[in-house]
Amino acid sequence: MRSDRMNQSLLRRFIGVISVFLFIGILVVSSLWFENPPKGKGTGTPKTSFSSERAFVHLAHIAVEPHSISSPELEKVRTYIVDQFKSLGLVVEVESYPIQYNRGNGDEHVTLNNIIATLKGSKEGKALMMSAHYDSVARGPGANDDGVAVASMIETARALKVQGKPLHDILFVITDGEEGGLLGAKEFWKASKFKDQVGMVANFEARGASGPSLMFQTSNENGKLIREFAAIAPLPVSNSFLADIYRKMPNDTDLTISLGEGIPGLNFAYVGSWDKYHSAEDTIDNVSKATLQHHGENALAVASHFGTLDLSGLNAKDVEYFNLYGKILYYPQSINLPLAIVLAAALIILSWLFVKRKTARLSNIAAGVGFVTLGIILSALISLGFYELLHVINEQINLQFYHFSFLVITLIVHVLLTMYLRRSRNELEMVLSAAYMFLILVFVMTYLMPGASYMFSLPLVVHSIVLAFLQGSKNPSATLRRSWMIMILSVLPVLLFMSLFHLLFMAMPPIVNVVCAVLFSLNLCMIYPLIRNISDLFKENKGIRRADPLRIEL
């Protein structure tokens, strides 16, 4: 009888754990599905829309061979681009700038040639500048960097002509010498006769050969830019955490120069298959037409919408923003600190109430913080060791399996820790401990990387609401172990962090898995009741085996 009751308990717990994993799996798959680039569109696509097939025709002329600064191949590419814009009826000028350039063998005199194609608007006003560069590195033909963007500009200009005159001028500025150090952009903003007309810049780049077109950078005071982009973006993939990460990196694009001039702007790029970047493999054979479609749809959407706006008043207070299920959600960044203070007060009050009811102990909450920290450290160290082992073995491993394995390692670390070091800490105390860790990070991010604050504050808002709800529960820990409650706790951590992991896995070398292991470890602590249920499965199964060794158990 006792063994049967244990079997039933084990089965219920097993079904509960599986249901939670299925729920989390559905969240991950459904949310990441919206981060995939759309399928490429053929030449039969309506003339007012962007077609990757039509753009690819241009790319086949642009990315034939390497075309670096001042090379005969670059002149051929420039002639083709100029002819295409002229054939669409745009007013085209080539601005030339003699400079000294060092290829590594001393200074030489070269001439930069920026292409400026103007689609005339119906009214006076600040112009929208659509920017890309047409030079490549000497090692490869630059099909992705930045041929896809240039081809997208030509196809975008064609679609805009069919749509009718924009309200204000749209300048397609295709710069020279970007690979030599943003040279064409520097000369444009130093000496171009068009520079004073520009009210906003949308720059299109690549740091890979596949994946979605990311809107990864904005100018400061981005509130209105984000609101307008959110209203028209086709399948947007963007977040303010990504923008803050980029600000900390030493990378630059042509947009860097316009931002230095105080011009509002948006920056787009794709980062999948980053190993093709700046290599001989950056050929048209390694161009994803889905990525080309997404890049082009972003370009056309931005040009169509911002070409109708008054670009003289784009600055507004910064916002926190992130994509979720094909939409951009945002809120004022100015509430970060007040929200952090409210969350701190709520967490302290709720903790005090639980301690007063004797459903939690302060000493156990404090010890739980140490438990969380230990889990993070062990996950990082073991993940680093696993990374080094794979690096030594140097075997070809499926990348998705590779990334997934680090998350599994982190999960195993936390289950084992819970099995052997949980002692008297209950689920409520551990959830409170993890919440305090998140609260610390909310304050840290608010000051150091404000665009990342939402990653920690929004899950903490949900946890605070759950903790308030648990004030009416006789046994809060038992309620926390319910499958439906674990699902509620997991929604925002899963949606927000898995999207970030997806982008980091695409954009960064394999060592980023160690960073993701740390973040995943922190998130597991926020859904500690699930980890406790998993560890209890093993303990209960072990107990049944001892009681009845002939019975086959789950």
Side-chain angles (χ1 to χ4, degrees):
M1 289 292 293
R2 180 174 176 271
S3 179
D4 288 339
R5 286 196 299 272
M6 291 177 69
N7 265 321
Q8 292 174 4
S9 173
L10 180 64
L11 181 61
R12 285 195 300 270
R13 200 177 298 277
F14 178 78
I15 292 172
V17 168
I18 293 300
S19 65
V20 171
F21 273 113
L22 285 174
F23 175 76
I24 290 174
I26 291 170
L27 283 181
V28 172
V29 172
S30 62
S31 62
L32 295 186
W33 186 85
F34 283 90
E35 295 188 3
N36 288 321
K39 291 182 179 180
K41 294 182 179 179
T43 54
T45 302
K47 299 297 184 182
T48 53
S49 300
F50 187 94
S51 162
S52 59
E53 285 292 344
R54 288 193 287 254
F56 197 82
V57 172
H58 302 302
L59 184 61
H61 288 85
I62 293 168
V64 177
E65 52 192 332
H67 43 282
S68 56
I69 294 175
S70 195
S71 66
E73 293 78 16
L74 187 65
E75 185 176 350
K76 295 177 186 176
V77 173
R78 179 169 63 253
T79 299
Y80 178 82
I81 296 169
V82 168
D83 287 346
Q84 292 305 307
F85 279 126
K86 283 183 176 179
S87 71
L88 293 172
L90 275 67
V91 179
V92 184
E93 294 189 39
V94 176
E95 292 187 332
S96 300
Y97 309 97
I99 65 165
Q100 285 191 319
Y101 178 61
N102 191 334
R103 299 180 194 269
N105 300 314
D107 287 344
E108 59 180 293
H109 295 285
V110 301
T111 299
L112 297 175
N113 296 280
N114 290 342
I115 303 166
I116 297 94
T118 304
L119 178 60
K120 288 292 185 178
S122 57
K123 291 184 178 180
E124 294 292 325
K126 287 290 186 178
L128 170 66
M129 173 173 160
M130 303 290 288
S131 175
H133 69 89
Y134 71 102
D135 61 309
S136 75
V137 295
R139 293 184 293 277
N144 288 285
D145 183 22
D146 199 21
V148 162
V150 176
S152 295
M153 295 295 105
I154 299 171
E155 170 65 3
T156 294
R158 183 209 56 75
L160 289 170
K161 284 285 290 184
V162 177
Q163 290 178 9
K165 264 193 175 185
L167 187 64
H168 303 298
D169 288 357
I170 296 177
L171 306 179
F172 292 90
V173 179
I174 316 299
T175 62
D176 190 359
E178 192 272 351
E179 301 293 2
L182 316 180
L183 301 176
K186 290 175 181 177
E187 294 300 325
F188 178 90
W189 290 103
K190 186 189 302 181
S192 175
K193 71 177 185 180
F194 295 93
K195 66 174 185 175
D196 293 332
Q197 299 178 26
V198 178
M200 173 188 164
V201 178
N203 186 61
F204 289 79
E205 261 286 1
R207 198 182 184 279
S210 64
S213 174
L214 313 176
M215 199 285 285
F216 69 96
Q217 184 187 18
T218 73
S219 50
N220 292 328
E221 298 184 305
N222 62 20
K224 186 171 182 180
L225 282 173
I226 294 299
R227 286 196 298 272
E228 297 295 341
F229 178 66
I232 52 89
L235 287 178
V237 182
S238 181
N239 62 66
S240 49
F241 195 173
L242 193 66
D244 271 11
I245 292 174
Y246 185 77
R247 288 191 186 101
K248 303 293 183 182
M249 297 173 70
N251 306 58
D252 290 311
T253 68
D254 280 350
L255 190 73
T256 304
I257 310 303
S258 59
L259 293 182
E261 297 293 323
I263 307 298
L266 302 174
N267 217 352
F268 297 82
Y270 51 94
V271 295
S273 305
W274 56 268
D275 56 309
K276 305 293 189 296
Y277 175 66
H278 280 187
S279 77
E281 294 183 85
D282 190 7
T283 65
I284 58 173
D285 292 334
N286 288 319
V287 168
S288 163
K289 289 187 180 178
T291 297
L292 171 55
Q293 183 68 37
H294 199 199
H295 220 36
E297 286 185 2
N298 274 331
L300 181 56
V302 167
S304 298
H305 182 68
F306 285 93
T308 66
L309 298 183
D310 178 4
L311 302 181
S312 61
L314 286 179
N315 290 339
K317 289 184 179 180
D318 286 322
V319 294
E320 298 279 298
Y321 60 94
F322 54 94
N323 64 278
L324 192 62
Y325 289 106
K327 300 292 182 182
I328 292 283
L329 305 181
Y330 56 89
Y331 62 88
Q333 205 170 84
S334 58
I335 73 169
N336 281 352
L337 183 57
L339 179 59
I341 293 171
V342 169
L343 287 171
L347 196 54
I348 291 170
I349 292 170
L350 289 167
S351 299
W352 176 76
L353 291 173
F354 284 123
V355 170
K356 187 178 179 182
R357 289 176 52 199
K358 297 183 179 180
T359 51
R361 298 173 61 182
L362 283 177
S363 58
N364 285 346
I365 297 172
V369 172
F371 182 92
V372 171
T373 304
L374 178 61
I376 292 171
I377 293 172
L378 285 177
S379 297
L381 291 176
I382 295 173
S383 294
L384 182 60
F386 183 61
Y387 164 78
E388 294 292 347
L389 175 63
L390 292 179
H391 188 68
V392 170
I393 295 173
N394 199 26
E395 291 286 340
Q396 291 294 325
I397 301 174
N398 178 277
L399 273 180
Q400 293 192 356
F401 173 79
Y402 182 82
H403 298 317
F404 183 69
S405 62
F406 283 87
L407 302 183
V408 171
I409 286 171
T410 305
L411 177 62
I412 291 172
V413 167
H414 280 265
V415 170
L416 292 176
L417 274 178
T418 300
M419 286 177 66
Y420 295 105
L421 293 180
R422 67 186 183 184
R423 296 181 184 175
S424 60
R425 290 181 296 277
N426 61 37
E427 288 81 356
L428 174 62
E429 291 162 341
M430 286 301 302
V431 168
L432 285 168
S433 300
Y436 277 109
M437 293 288 284
F438 259 59
L439 181 63
I440 292 169
L441 287 170
V442 169
F443 279 101
V444 170
M445 293 301 172
T446 295
Y447 284 100
L448 298 183
M449 292 181 68
S453 181
Y454 76 93
M455 298 285 295
F456 304 96
S457 60
L458 295 185
L460 193 53
V461 168
V462 173
H463 274 60
S464 297
I465 294 171
V466 167
L467 291 169
F469 169 79
L470 291 174
Q471 291 295 330
S473 172
K474 292 182 179 180
N475 189 342
S477 290
T479 305
L480 281 169
R481 295 181 75 164
R482 300 287 187 184
S483 297
W484 59 269
M485 180 59 78
I486 297 173
M487 290 176 187
I488 292 172
L489 294 176
S490 68
V491 170
L492 281 184
V494 169
L495 291 178
L496 297 180
F497 280 87
M498 284 303 165
S499 177
L500 177 66
F501 294 164
H502 178 222
L503 299 179
L504 291 177
F505 290 157
M506 280 195 300
M508 306 297 286
I511 190 64
V512 78
N513 285 281
V514 178
V515 177
C516 291
V518 170
L519 292 173
F520 187 55
S521 178
L522 190 61
N523 274 271
L524 287 177
C525 295
M526 289 289 272
I527 53 172
Y528 174 81
L530 173 62
I531 306 302
R532 183 72 174 260
N533 284 347
I534 296 171
S535 69
D536 283 354
L537 271 177
F538 290 102
K539 281 187 170 292
E540 288 183 18
N541 192 50
K542 190 175 180 181
I544 292 174
R545 280 180 164 178
R546 286 174 179 166
D548 189 355
L550 297 178
R551 191 184 298 269
I552 298 175
E553 304 298 345
L554 293 171

